[in-house]
Amino acid sequence: MSKVAIITGGGSGLGQSTALRLAEEGVNIVVVDIDEEGGNKTVEMVKKSGVEAIFIKADVSKADEVKNYVDQTVEKFGTIDYFFNNAGISGSGAYYLETDIDEIEKIVGINLMGALYGVRYVAEVMVKNGGGAIVNTASSAGVIGQDTVVTYSATKHGIVGITKSLVAEYAKDGLRVNAVAPGPTETPMVKSYFDANPKMKENAEQGIPQKRLGTPEEVAELVTFLLTSKAEYINGEVIRIDGGFTNTK
Ligand SMILES: NC(=O)c1ccc[n+]([C@@H]2O[C@H](COP(=O)([O-])OP(=O)(O)OC[C@H]3O[C@@H](n4cnc5c(N)ncnc54)[C@H](O)[C@@H]3O)[C@@H](O)[C@H]2O)c1
């Protein structure tokens, strides 16, 4: 029987690429996003692989909306095999002491609370059904310290904590939880920033041993590997995919 995956932030970037890659493996896809247009576009693209796909609009920072996307998925497909807990935002790039409290609360709400609510409701279904696989999206900023990203970095270090601690509790129930830690990757989020600041792009590339940004397709390949049974004995890992960037820090 076809597997079922929920992908948050599936309307763009890493979420969209992973939806397409998992669909190539015959996985049915539930795209969750706050952006209706992007979410529906991913569904249309995914369906070309012949799998079933639906879009559920949700703001992941709201627990009731997270519960709703989980309930709707179970209602439609009966179970959840894979979960890419990925929706997230970056900050303004301001230094921390110049950052508004509203911005801090917003980033924590989406990146950390959204991820915590996601695993709270999804893992409940998976454990009840005998197991499943989760990949959380951390970041380079989740494994090293960097300036101008204090709040973002706090949320991504939090993602690492979620990943390791869930395994301690629920691996015995068939749950696998891993995280990916991408370096700068050419998604729309990063591309629009670098298009406006070409010098920043050059600086970023120079700071990466492989001298280039990552691609969404490379991250999608890793996430697909970690979610599927090929990675059956990999649990609680945070896999860096950053061209050697954090390795040099
Ligand atoms: N692109 C990078 O360089 C990079 C590097 C490391 C980590 N990440 C992380 O990867 C994840 C995906 O980022 P991306 O680069 O694909 O960005 P993106 O902006 O292309 O995609 C993010 C998606 O999340 C959705 N989203 C935002 N807030 C939401 C909310 N409250 N509820 C539901 N959906 C919401 C957006 O609408 C968008 O479709 C994020 O967690 C980000 O922090 C990205």
Side-chain angles (χ1 to χ4, degrees):
M1 216 169 96
S2 292
K3 301 285 188 188
V4 178
I6 297 179
I7 300 176
T8 68
S12 176
L14 305 184
Q16 185 177 76
S17 294
T18 302
L20 293 168
R21 183 64 190 84
L22 280 170
E24 281 174 18
E25 300 290 317
V27 176
N28 292 328
I29 306 290
V30 177
V31 175
V32 172
D33 208 293
I34 199 166
D35 170 16
E36 221 160 319
E37 200 184 320
N40 281 317
K41 186 169 166 229
T42 302
V43 165
E44 289 317 307
M45 291 162 82
V46 156
K47 279 183 172 168
K48 290 186 184 141
S49 293
V51 299
E52 280 190 73
I54 57 168
F55 169 63
I56 301 172
K57 184 174 177 173
D59 177 347
V60 298
S61 70
K62 305 217 163 81
D64 58 334
E65 296 189 26
V66 173
K67 184 170 187 317
N68 179 57
Y69 78 62
V70 172
D71 288 347
Q72 274 198 55
T73 301
V74 173
E75 201 172 300
K76 163 88 180 154
F77 291 108
T79 192
I80 306 162
D81 300 288
Y82 306 143
F83 180 40
F84 186 29
N85 196 12
N86 164 74
I89 56 168
S90 57
S92 62
Y95 284 105
Y96 191 60
L97 302 188
E98 287 147 29
T99 306
D100 293 338
I101 296 298
D102 282 355
E103 180 181 325
I104 297 170
E105 287 178 353
K106 187 171 180 199
I107 297 172
V108 171
I110 295 172
N111 292 11
L112 187 58
M113 299 312 295
L116 278 165
Y117 297 145
V119 293
R120 171 64 183 81
Y121 291 116
V122 171
E124 190 171 23
V125 172
M126 287 178 166
V127 165
K128 196 173 121 217
N129 291 350
I134 297 173
V135 171
N136 299 312
T137 303
S139 166
S140 295
V143 291
I144 59 165
Q146 284 178 284
D147 64 358
T148 72
V149 288
V150 170
T151 309
Y152 182 79
S153 174
T155 65
K156 294 303 184 178
H157 277 75
I159 293 285
V160 171
I162 294 169
T163 303
K164 292 180 175 176
S165 297
L166 262 182
V167 168
E169 276 186 56
Y170 297 107
K172 66 175 184 347
D173 300 301
L175 203 66
R176 283 194 313 105
V177 191
N178 293 291
V180 290
T185 308
E186 278 197 85
T187 63
M189 178 168 97
V190 165
K191 208 171 170 309
S192 60
Y193 177 73
F194 281 144
D195 283 351
N197 306 280
K199 189 75 198 145
M200 295 295 284
K201 183 177 182 194
E202 211 181 300
N203 289 346
E205 286 170 340
Q206 284 315 309
I208 297 168
Q210 282 186 235
K211 304 294 177 208
R212 68 168 175 87
L213 306 183
T215 69
E217 291 75 22
E218 286 170 322
V219 177
E221 197 61 42
L222 174 60
V223 175
T224 301
F225 171 74
L226 289 171
L227 286 175
T228 57
S229 56
K230 289 172 194 150
E232 196 54 51
Y233 203 53
I234 300 177
N235 218 343
E237 289 295 332
V238 180
I239 315 273
R240 304 170 196 206
I241 175 160
D242 62 7
F245 174 57
T246 53
N247 188 48
T248 58
K249 302 290 167 197

